[in-house]
């Protein structure tokens, strides 16, 4: 087999065989296929696409390019959850302990944030001493003991995807749906879950800007899941405004704990219950989402959901008291409020602008090596559709450097649109896709 023949085949709209895709992934991983040939192939995929069978083969080849986690020693059906990322998306911080408290084992590997899409691992480090690096045995033993562990991704998980992901970033092929779908699903499959719940974000603050794009990606990932024997469900959810009120690491942790206690923002709570109840169905614990939702609401009301997060924090080196006393989390030195200039209704909030403002403050990173400030960020006081009076606070900014605060204010200019009337309400969840 020759790589140049595969590039030409895909360029001309042909379909690669399973063996050709395996050759391509193996060769790129071991270095025998150079970047320039892989770039040409990725661009051909961008224009020509891939069949469902090709995409499934690519996913499995990338999942098999490095270590794969064996979760068979854990009892029950293991359900993983993945979000395509957005502004203020702290869903995993709530869903993981909540679903574990219900009795579904959650053995989750998460990533760090890049750009305005915050990383779960960064947020968890708001708990002083929290260890995100664990040995495989420590990770599995913790799930056996308390039902949940969230750690950083293993160094040798899907090395083919790591290389191809970096290449796509610099060759303008990031948007190729088969490559996005296989990238996400290869990591989920290598991480060993029996079933996968996907939260596909759509809107101004998401990678997928239109419902059509989000549906195309969701359908591709659900099809891959079916092809490789993993029960997969995709929830397409709104990211035209930030999720919840808090944006920034420790601020989002605080909001996640409040949500676990049943006192969180309406939209975050609703999304958590929608996702969590489906995970309980996929895990065989309940027969329908209504039963699952009731179970999760009871766990929030009883305090058991918060207790499960405290157990996880303690098991991974943190102090569980930080969960019960949120004032112990990192706090910023400068608190600045932005107020409304007129009466009316909030008709739109630019999630992307809010996200960029959080990065400027230091809550996000522009390169993987950049340090982040766990204390800084923003807390919204109004959401889309809320009534507001001139002089009322729209958002509180938490900063540690005055010049960064000023830069963030520039990023946020025009982020809140205030109108005299409310437009039709936008849904939080647009569609649920399953095989």
């Amino acid at each position: 087999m020759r790589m140049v023949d595969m590039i030409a085949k895909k360029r001309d709209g042909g379909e690669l065989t399973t063996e050709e895709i395996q050759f391509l992934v193996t060769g790129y991983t071991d270095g025998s296929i150079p970047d320039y040939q892989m770039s040409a192939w990725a661009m051909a995929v961008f224009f020509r696409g891939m069949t469902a069978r090709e995409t499934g083969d690519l996913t499995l080849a990338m999942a098999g390019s490095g270590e794969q986690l064996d979760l068979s020693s854990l009892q029950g059906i293991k359900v993983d959850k993945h979000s395509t990322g957005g502004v203020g998306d702290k869903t995993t911080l709530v869903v993981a302990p909540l679903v574990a408290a219900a009795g579904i084992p959650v053995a989750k590997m998460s990533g760090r944030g890049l750009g305005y899409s915050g990383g779960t691992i960064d947020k968890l480090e708001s708990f002083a001493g929290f260890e995100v690096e664990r040995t495989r045995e420590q990770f599995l033993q913790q799930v056996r003991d308390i039902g949940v562990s969230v750690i950083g991704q293993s160094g040798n998980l899907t090395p083919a995807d790591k290389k191809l992901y970096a290449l796509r970033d610099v060759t303008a092929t990031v948007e190729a749906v088969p490559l996005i779908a296989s990238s996400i699903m290869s990591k989920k499959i290598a991480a060993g879950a029996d079933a996968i719940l996907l939260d596909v974000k759509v809107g101004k603050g998401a990678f997928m800007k239109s419902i059509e794009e989000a549906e195309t990606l969701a359908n591709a990932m659900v099809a891959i899941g079916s092809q490789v024997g993993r029960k997969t469900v995709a929830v397409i959810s709104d990211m035209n405004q930030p999720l919840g009120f808090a944006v920034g690491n420790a601020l989002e942790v605080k909001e996640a704990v409040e949500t676990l206690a049943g006192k969180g923002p309406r939209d975050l709570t609703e999304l958590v219950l929608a996702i969590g109840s489906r995970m309980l169905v996929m895990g065989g614990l309940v027969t329908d989402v209504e039963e699952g939702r009731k179970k999760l609401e009871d766990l929030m009301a009883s305090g058991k959901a918060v207790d499960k997060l405290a157990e996880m924090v303690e098991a991974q080196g943190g102090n569980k008291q930080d969960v019960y006393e949120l004032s112990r989390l990192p706090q910023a030195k400068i608190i600045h409020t932005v107020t409304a200039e007129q009466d009316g209704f909030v008709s739109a909030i630019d999630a992307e602008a809010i996200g960029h403002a959080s990065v400027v403050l230091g809550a996000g990173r522009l390169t993987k090596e950049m340090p982040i400030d766990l204390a800084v960020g923003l807390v919204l006081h109004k959401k889309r559709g809320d009534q507001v009076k001139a002089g009322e606070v729209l958002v509180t900014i938490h900063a540690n450097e005055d010049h960064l605060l000023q830069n963030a204010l520039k990023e946020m200019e025009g982020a809140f649109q205030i109108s005299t009337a409310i437009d039709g309400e936008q849904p939080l969840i647009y569609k649920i896709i399953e095989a």
Side-chain angles (χ1 to χ4, degrees), residues 91-133:
T91 315
T92 294
L93 295 175
V94 186
V95 167
L98 181 59
V99 169
I104 296 286
V106 179
K108 180 156 178 55
M109 288 185 173
S110 285
R112 293 195 180 276
L114 194 58
Y116 58 71
S117 181
T120 299
I121 290 303
D122 296 317
K123 292 167 192 174
L124 284 168
E125 287 182 334
S126 300
F127 294 111
F130 191 95
E131 296 169 1
V132 298
E133 304 297 331

Side-chain angles (χ1 to χ4, degrees), residues 62-67 156-163 183 186-187 190:
M62 291 202 298
S65 67
E67 292 176 27
N156 198 36
L157 208 70
T158 61
D161 176 61
K162 285 190 179 71
K163 285 189 76 175
S183 173
S186 65
K187 289 191 279 278

Side-chain angles (χ1 to χ4, degrees), residues 86-91 94 123 201 237-248 251-252 254-256 258-259 263-272 349 351 354 378-384 386 394-395 416 428:
V87 181
D89 183 10
K90 71 282 294 177
T91 315
V94 186
K123 292 167 192 174
K201 301 292 186 190
S237 67
D238 181 62
M239 191 39 75
N240 282 301
Q241 64 175 344
L243 182 62
F245 296 115
V247 180
L251 296 170
E252 291 189 42
K254 181 174 183 287
E255 186 167 86
E258 289 165 351
T259 305
K263 299 169 185 168
R266 189 177 60 188
D267 58 346
L268 176 59
T269 302
E270 181 53 41
L271 184 62
V272 161
I349 302 173
I354 299 289
L378 308 95
V379 178
L380 280 61
H381 295 263
K382 299 289 181 180
K383 297 292 290 280
R384 190 175 55 215
D386 288 349
L394 293 173
V395 59
F416 284 80
L428 174 66

Side-chain angles (χ1 to χ4, degrees), residues 34-314:
D35 277 351
Y36 59 83
Q37 285 192 312
M38 201 63 171
S39 300
W41 178 80
M43 189 59 79
V45 169
F46 180 88
F47 286 112
R48 291 294 195 169
M50 298 178 83
T51 65
R53 196 270 310 155
E54 280 181 299
T55 309
D57 285 346
L58 178 62
T59 304
L60 283 178
M62 291 202 298
S65 67
E67 292 176 27
Q68 295 196 56
L69 202 57
D70 181 3
L71 302 182
S72 60
S73 64
L74 304 177
Q75 290 191 331
I77 298 170
K78 279 71 68 179
V79 186
D80 202 349
K81 173 255 170 203
H82 175 83
S83 167
T84 56
V87 181
D89 183 10
K90 71 282 294 177
T91 315
T92 294
L93 295 175
V94 186
V95 167
L98 181 59
V99 169
I104 296 286
V106 179
K108 180 156 178 55
M109 288 185 173
S110 285
R112 293 195 180 276
L114 194 58
Y116 58 71
S117 181
T120 299
I121 290 303
D122 296 317
K123 292 167 192 174
L124 284 168
E125 287 182 334
S126 300
F127 294 111
F130 191 95
E131 296 169 1
V132 298
E133 304 297 331
R134 311 287 273 175
T135 67
R136 186 166 299 195
E137 191 41 56
Q138 284 175 319
F139 177 54
L140 295 175
Q141 190 57 51
Q142 183 176 318
V143 180
R144 289 186 204 107
D145 291 343
I146 66 168
V148 60
S149 181
V150 180
I151 64 169
Q153 285 170 355
S154 158
N156 198 36
L157 208 70
T158 61
D161 176 61
K162 285 190 179 71
K163 285 189 76 175
L164 184 55
Y165 189 93
L167 188 73
R168 285 164 51 215
D169 200 32
V170 294
T171 57
T173 54
V174 167
E175 293 85 355
V177 168
L179 301 184
I180 301 170
S182 57
S183 173
I184 291 170
M185 292 298 285
S186 65
K187 289 191 279 278
K188 295 293 103 183
I189 290 162
D194 302 311
I196 302 161
L197 188 292
L198 302 160
D199 181 11
V200 180
K201 301 292 186 190
V202 61
K204 193 80 188 286
F207 185 67
M208 295 290 158
K209 303 298 183 190
S210 72
I211 299 291
E212 294 73 26
E213 288 176 318
E215 276 195 45
T216 300
L217 176 60
N219 279 312
M221 292 192 290
V222 169
I224 291 169
S226 289
Q227 189 177 328
V228 302
R230 303 291 204 283
K231 172 67 175 168
T232 306
V233 175
V235 174
I236 299 177
S237 67
D238 181 62
M239 191 39 75
N240 282 301
Q241 64 175 344
L243 182 62
F245 296 115
V247 180
N249 299 280
L251 296 170
E252 291 189 42
V253 167
K254 181 174 183 287
E255 186 167 86
V257 175
E258 289 165 351
T259 305
L260 279 168
K263 299 169 185 168
R266 189 177 60 188
D267 58 346
L268 176 59
T269 302
E270 181 53 41
L271 184 62
V272 161
L273 291 172
I275 287 172
S277 59
R278 279 170 178 81
M279 288 175 74
L280 298 196
V281 173
M282 293 164 81
L285 199 68
V286 297
T287 54
D288 56 53
V289 291
E290 289 75 21
E291 185 188 349
R293 187 186 182 97
K294 176 72 170 67
K295 194 174 189 70
L296 297 180
E297 287 173 334
D298 289 347
L299 289 165
M300 287 173 161
S302 68
K304 289 178 182 174
V306 173
D307 291 344
K308 186 56 70 177
L309 176 63
E311 276 186 76
M312 184 178 91
V313 168
E314 185 173 54

